[in-house]
Amino acid sequence: MSETSLRVLSVIPPMTQLNTPYPSTAYLTGFLRSRSVDAVQEDLALALVLRLLSRDGLTAIRDRIEATPERERSPRVRAFLAQFERYRITIGPAIAFLQGRDPTLANRICGRNFLPEGSRFESLDVYIDPEGGDPLAWAFGALGLEDRARHLATLYLNDVADVLREAVDPRFEFVRYAESLAQSQASFEPLALALAEPLNLVDETLRGLALDAIARHAPQVVLLSVPFPGAVYGAFRIAQAIKARDPKIVTVLGGGFVNTELRELTEPRVFDYFDYVTLDDGERPILALLDHLQGGRGRSRLVRTFFRDADSGEVRYVNLGEADIAFAEVGTPTWDGLPLDRYLSVLDMLNPMHRLWSDGRWNKLTVAHGCYWKKCSFCDVSLDYISRYDGASAKTLVDRIEAIIAETGQTGFHFVDEAAPPKALKALAQELIERGVAISWWGNIRFEKSFTPDLCRLLAESGCIAVSGGLEVASDRLLQLMKKGVSVDQVARVTNAFTEAGILVHAYLMYGFPTQTVQDTVDALEYVRQLFESGCIQSGFFHRFACTVHSPVGQNPDEYGVKLVPLPPVTFAKNDVRFIDPTGVDHDQLGVALNKALYNYMHGIGLEQDVRSWFSDRVPRPRVPRNFIERALR
């Protein structure tokens, strides 16, 4: 690379998270600076939310509403207009409170006469005290003033988001923004049509923020990191604005969505917005690209990069095959340039474990690259982010932790591994304790037998407050078919060891796996009920199994007793693939019952009920003994 470095701007596009920055730009910026590249970063997802949820933003929303015929306004929108002045007065203080800048406002919020209350507050009805007392007292007690206020303020923000969605942009969400335009879309056409539409208020706001960032940083290269389908539309709108302002700025698309869904990209129109699209870990492809842009190498020597051929107009993919940067050498992520005091600690779910994802600003860090297990049949084990396992020493990790604390002033860490290895966590815990580094941390693991009671206590001593792990379908037959490497009774003992050590436990749960019967589903829910009842887990989330083209199920469907539905010709995104399961079970209907039961279990409700009571249709009696988990723990 030449001595004159290009300025590189890494951008987090809408929407990712409200409470903490998505870590991809922090990793890239830290790495590029370690290689003497002039690198900066911006979180336009947070900036967009803060601009819309402001006095001026709400006024603009009202003006857009009033420009529409009254008959087209929903009851929710009409209620917003009727209380507009209260919304306008309270939006700034509510945002400041959720940012932690005005904690004394909690008293007024909890008085229930400060914030206007829309339809989202109806959810509080499920907590009504039969004796007419405080409906939230069971969750927050007499003294949980700030948490109670944060929950009420979150409902208030969700009310405003509902109005924004109904009156301005039907695709708007705080997380899954315009997700359907990108997720497993074989054709680029839906996204292209959306991008060709006139700008609405959200688009105009995002365009202005993007151009402000370009003016402020004057970059020659802009990297847009897209982790989820819900960030794709925003990324393309940002690139569209940049290209309209200055076509010479090089725009590059990468991130988790690209690595998973755009591996067979042939759509030339993508390159009206982006000059390059890179796959998998960005460090090596970006170094190669910067070298190319500065005349150090030709396009034929790029690494894992798509571009549009200027002569033929066709998409080309080039991969020189240079080795990736070792995980121990990627450097320390930096949050320099991101407004760490402006993120919003929201409280959607009252469950103490579940709230960690949205409440509080966490320094996100990785213990190791990839997954040490990489066998689960539902997982994208053929992709680099799973298949290439690469670790770093405990000393290196704690050096990074200390550097991040010095930069951010915050000691909370979320380890975002696919599954942090027990051996590496043990070494990390010992290093933290020996060096006297006091942090709070949580992360994702596998519920394997290596997590003994002694190890769990060691992890707790080092600062571990919570773990999440995949139980998936609580059925030994299906766990074996999944190649999960655990059994239900083993999960019970491991989760109990964590709980006994004072560590909260979240279980990822799944339904609709190939050959899963109604009986399997009922049995799984009974196992889950007993795990909650025994205090082994405190939180969980049921998601519907999705077959992907990169997973063992998608690549070898016969082994799992299913037939894949042929995909249409793919020029854009390719990931989910429909399949035919001979059991013919209506998993969508079962999913309603599973999620209803789980929501109640997380609030300590209904744990004594027969699990069949959650299902609307008649289902078989569970075959699981009522004391199965209790016996496993003994």
Side-chain angles (χ1 to χ4, degrees), residues 49 57 89 93 117 163 200 273 279 322 337 391 415 470 475 493 605 615:
V49 169
I89 291 170
E117 298 188 359
V163 171
N200 61 36
Y273 306 87
L279 294 181
E322 292 184 19
F415 296 138
S475 157
R493 287 189 289 271
I605 300 169
F615 296 89

Side-chain angles (χ1 to χ4, degrees), residues 445-515:
I445 61 160
R446 293 181 64 252
F447 293 131
E448 62 168 78
K449 59 186 178 183
S450 301
F451 288 105
T452 62
D454 285 343
L455 177 54
C456 292
R457 285 189 288 270
L458 175 69
L459 298 182
E461 185 183 352
S462 75
C464 180
I465 58 171
V467 293
S468 55
L471 171 55
E472 317 310 347
V473 177
S475 157
D476 284 340
R477 177 184 76 83
L478 291 173
L479 287 171
Q480 189 172 5
L481 184 62
M482 289 177 175
K483 299 182 175 65
K484 188 70 186 173
V486 299
S487 62
V488 177
D489 58 346
Q490 177 182 310
V491 168
R493 287 189 289 271
V494 170
T495 53
N496 184 66
F498 278 111
T499 298
E500 289 292 309
I503 296 171
L504 296 170
V505 181
H506 173 90
Y508 291 109
L509 302 161
M510 182 186 295
Y511 65 99
F513 192 76
T515 72

Side-chain angles (χ1 to χ4, degrees), residues 5-43:
S5 180
L6 298 170
R7 167 159 282 203
V8 179
L9 169 62
S10 296
V11 175
I12 304 171
M15 293 295 191
T16 47
Q17 288 179 276
L18 296 180
N19 66 309
T20 196
Y22 192 78
S24 56
T25 64
Y27 269 96
L28 283 173
T29 303
F31 169 75
L32 291 173
R33 289 183 181 181
S34 74
R35 299 301 176 100
S36 301
V37 176
D38 184 7
V40 291
Q41 58 187 326
E42 286 273 351
D43 188 343

Side-chain angles (χ1 to χ4, degrees), residues 364-386:
K364 291 182 182 284
L365 197 61
T366 309
V367 174
H369 180 282
C371 178
Y372 68 98
W373 177 252
K374 55 190 174 190
K375 295 178 183 178
C376 298
S377 57
F378 54 83
C379 192
D380 293 338
V381 295
S382 63
L383 298 184
D384 177 79
Y385 82 98
I386 297 287

Side-chain angles (χ1 to χ4, degrees), residues 485-628:
V486 299
S487 62
V488 177
D489 58 346
Q490 177 182 310
V491 168
R493 287 189 289 271
V494 170
T495 53
N496 184 66
F498 278 111
T499 298
E500 289 292 309
I503 296 171
L504 296 170
V505 181
H506 173 90
Y508 291 109
L509 302 161
M510 182 186 295
Y511 65 99
F513 192 76
T515 72
Q516 183 175 353
T517 64
V518 174
Q519 182 71 67
D520 288 328
T521 302
V522 173
D523 291 349
L525 185 58
E526 174 59 20
Y527 283 126
V528 170
R529 184 196 68 78
Q530 291 185 33
L531 287 168
F532 272 99
E533 185 180 43
S534 300
C536 294
I537 61 177
Q538 290 76 47
S539 172
F541 180 76
F542 266 114
H543 65 275
R544 173 73 184 270
F545 167 76
C547 180
T548 70
V549 295
H550 310 294
S551 68
V553 177
Q555 295 178 345
N556 304 290
D558 291 345
E559 292 183 18
Y560 301 90
V562 297
K563 293 186 179 299
L564 302 185
V565 176
L567 288 167
V570 174
T571 58
F572 186 54
K574 181 180 180 181
N575 189 37
D576 292 357
V577 54
R578 292 174 52 232
F579 62 94
I580 300 170
D581 189 332
T583 59
V585 175
D586 185 352
H587 293 293
D588 288 336
Q589 186 174 6
L590 294 176
V592 173
L594 295 174
N595 283 296
K596 184 178 180 181
L598 190 64
Y599 181 83
N600 281 275
Y601 293 165
M602 284 193 290
H603 293 92
I605 300 169
L607 290 170
E608 299 300 322
Q609 291 178 212
D610 188 315
V611 294
R612 290 175 293 176
S613 65
W614 300 108
F615 296 89
S616 57
D617 290 341
R618 190 179 182 86
V619 295
R621 180 190 302 273
R623 297 171 299 189
V624 182
R626 292 276 292 187
N627 62 348
F628 178 90

